[in-house]
Amino acid sequence: MTYLVTGCAGFIGFHTCLKLLERGDEVVGIDNLNDYYDPRLKEDRLKLLLGTKNFQFQELDIADRQAMADYFARERPQRVIHLAAQAGVRYSIDHPHAYADSNLVGFLNILEGCRHNEVQHLVYASSSSVYGANQKLPFSVDDNVDHPVSLYGATKKANELMAHAYSHLFNLPTTGLRFFTVYGPWGRPDMAYFLFTKAILEGRPIEVYNHGQMKRDFTYIDDVVEGVVRVLDRVPTRDGGPKTDDGAESGDPSPVPGHPSRSTAPYRLYNIGNHTPVDLFHFIEVIEQALGKKAVKNLLPMQPGDVPATFADVDALTRDVGFAPSTPIEVGVERFVAWCRDYYRL
């Protein structure tokens, strides 16, 4: 089977490509290799992918409408894993147009490519940021998510709505994955765990927001990729919805009562989180232990767009694909620190 992975030189995209290639699939990847963070890290990930069998790459911006239409028509992938996006909550405050271009226009181009080229299944990255101002923990895919607190979160919620429309209108099977604070080797340098580790190794203070009064559902990259691939292999079908008088499906685009994550369209949503929130100070302690070095902490107020806690309910993921992320942070952080020391020669 041929899979298209967008954002293949990104953190999750890179690891997803490796997983698919290891099991013998054909992978075509695209990425625009932008400079949101150091492009050298993306280029080094890409070099590893290009050194494998069954992988092809094209540098391409998903916001380029004609280029994306031409690419889909030429490659005709059977399934699509859409992981390209403008990431980052804080960055969205000062650079909003980057999110409109990539996360809205780009996502529409992906949907159109899938629609016109008979793609069997579109799996796309959403985010825990869609939960926004929600205070009920753990976060469930059946919760209301109508109050985002960042533009980034709003664009990811928009992606879920756009996907449902295409699932209903064109019978395109789509599955959205709400990722929770993914970490691990080859990770994103703008993420807190990465910034903490490098700063401690280089003897610089670390910036700890909300004076450390935060919890995050840190999720190890191998667990995330396992969830992505299991979901990819499970193409959603229509759930039973309203019936006509003769007992047939009415075709109404109705949500399944009590389950906003499911629909009479071939549409699903899942959380992928470790379902074990960790106090930020404890997470820093785990990094310190792995490094054998203490951090100097600069305590700062909460940043706009941040939330005090995230906590994933993964019951739906476990029920449908038989998997729940479970890597302890002690194991995941040790692996990340070992990679960081080696990659940066620290």
Side-chain angles (χ1 to χ4, degrees):
M1 187 165 293
T2 300
Y3 296 93
L4 167 61
V5 179
T6 72
C8 64
F11 176 33
I12 301 175
F14 163 70
H15 283 279
T16 300
C17 288
L18 286 178
K19 181 76 170 179
L20 294 171
L21 292 165
E22 285 170 2
R23 71 177 196 175
D25 292 311
E26 299 276 345
V27 178
V28 292
I30 62 175
D31 200 295
N32 67 357
L33 301 175
N34 67 25
D35 61 358
Y36 169 63
Y37 59 80
D38 188 354
R40 289 177 297 178
L41 183 58
K42 301 177 184 181
E43 291 163 0
D44 287 343
R45 295 181 187 130
L46 187 57
K47 286 177 185 176
L48 290 176
L49 293 174
L50 290 169
T52 65
K53 290 175 56 180
N54 301 329
F55 178 78
Q56 297 179 39
F57 172 72
Q58 182 168 337
E59 187 171 346
L60 192 62
D61 189 337
I62 60 171
D64 186 330
R65 178 178 174 183
Q66 189 59 54
M68 288 300 298
D70 293 344
Y71 186 83
F72 267 93
R74 181 174 67 253
E75 297 294 339
R76 296 190 67 83
Q78 292 158 295
R79 297 186 184 180
V80 175
I81 308 98
H82 176 52
L83 300 170
Q86 178 57 62
V89 168
R90 294 167 192 157
Y91 190 76
S92 69
I93 294 171
D94 296 321
H95 303 84
H97 292 93
Y99 293 78
D101 294 342
S102 183
N103 299 5
L104 300 179
V105 174
F107 190 64
L108 178 60
N109 291 337
I110 295 294
L111 288 169
E112 281 288 282
C114 293
R115 167 196 175 189
H116 290 294
N117 294 279
E118 299 179 345
V119 167
Q120 299 172 3
H121 189 193
L122 167 63
V123 175
Y124 62 95
S126 185
S127 169
S128 62
S129 293
V130 301
Y131 290 104
N134 286 22
Q135 296 183 359
K136 181 182 77 67
L137 297 174
F139 294 152
S140 167
V141 288
D142 291 328
D143 292 341
N144 178 288
V145 288
D146 289 339
H147 298 89
V149 295
S150 69
L151 179 63
Y152 170 67
T155 63
K156 288 300 183 178
K157 173 60 178 174
N159 288 171
E160 296 176 1
L161 297 172
M162 294 162 73
H164 184 270
Y166 272 66
S167 292
H168 168 65
L169 290 170
F170 308 114
N171 202 36
L172 170 65
T174 67
T175 303
L177 302 176
R178 294 173 176 174
F179 295 129
F180 282 69
T181 316
V182 186
Y183 75 102
W186 295 98
R188 276 174 37 204
D190 62 315
M191 297 292 284
Y193 71 91
F194 204 121
L195 295 169
F196 290 164
T197 300
K198 281 203 71 182
I200 295 169
L201 284 170
E202 294 169 354
R204 295 182 285 107
I206 64 174
E207 295 184 340
V208 183
Y209 292 103
N210 201 32
H211 305 282
Q213 302 305 306
M214 303 177 79
K215 290 185 177 182
R216 287 291 181 270
D217 204 341
F218 294 99
T219 314
Y220 188 62
I221 183 61
D222 289 359
D223 287 342
V224 167
V225 171
E226 180 68 24
V228 170
V229 173
R230 289 197 185 207
V231 167
L232 180 65
D233 291 339
R234 188 181 190 278
V235 181
T237 57
R238 294 178 179 272
D239 275 311
K243 306 287 185 179
T244 60
D245 291 340
D246 61 1
E249 299 289 345
S250 71
D252 291 340
S254 304
V256 176
H259 298 280
S261 62
R262 295 156 57 194
S263 166
T264 52
Y267 167 90
R268 292 291 186 280
L269 290 171
Y270 296 105
N271 288 333
I272 297 188
N274 205 42
H275 62 96
T276 308
V278 176
D279 287 325
L280 186 57
F281 278 137
H282 178 60
F283 191 73
I284 294 169
E285 288 173 0
V286 173
I287 295 174
E288 291 173 329
Q289 291 167 4
L291 292 173
K293 190 174 182 180
K294 285 288 187 181
V296 177
K297 304 178 185 69
N298 182 15
L299 302 182
L300 298 170
M302 178 80 88
Q303 291 288 287
D306 272 354
V307 296
T310 63
F311 182 1
D313 178 338
V314 297
D315 286 352
L317 182 72
T318 302
R319 178 194 66 225
D320 289 352
V321 303
F323 177 74
S326 60
T327 301
I329 59 166
E330 292 79 7
V331 173
V333 166
E334 185 173 351
R335 292 174 183 170
F336 168 73
V337 165
W339 170 83
C340 191
R341 283 185 183 276
D342 177 67
Y343 184 79
Y344 290 102
R345 302 290 189 266
L346 295 170

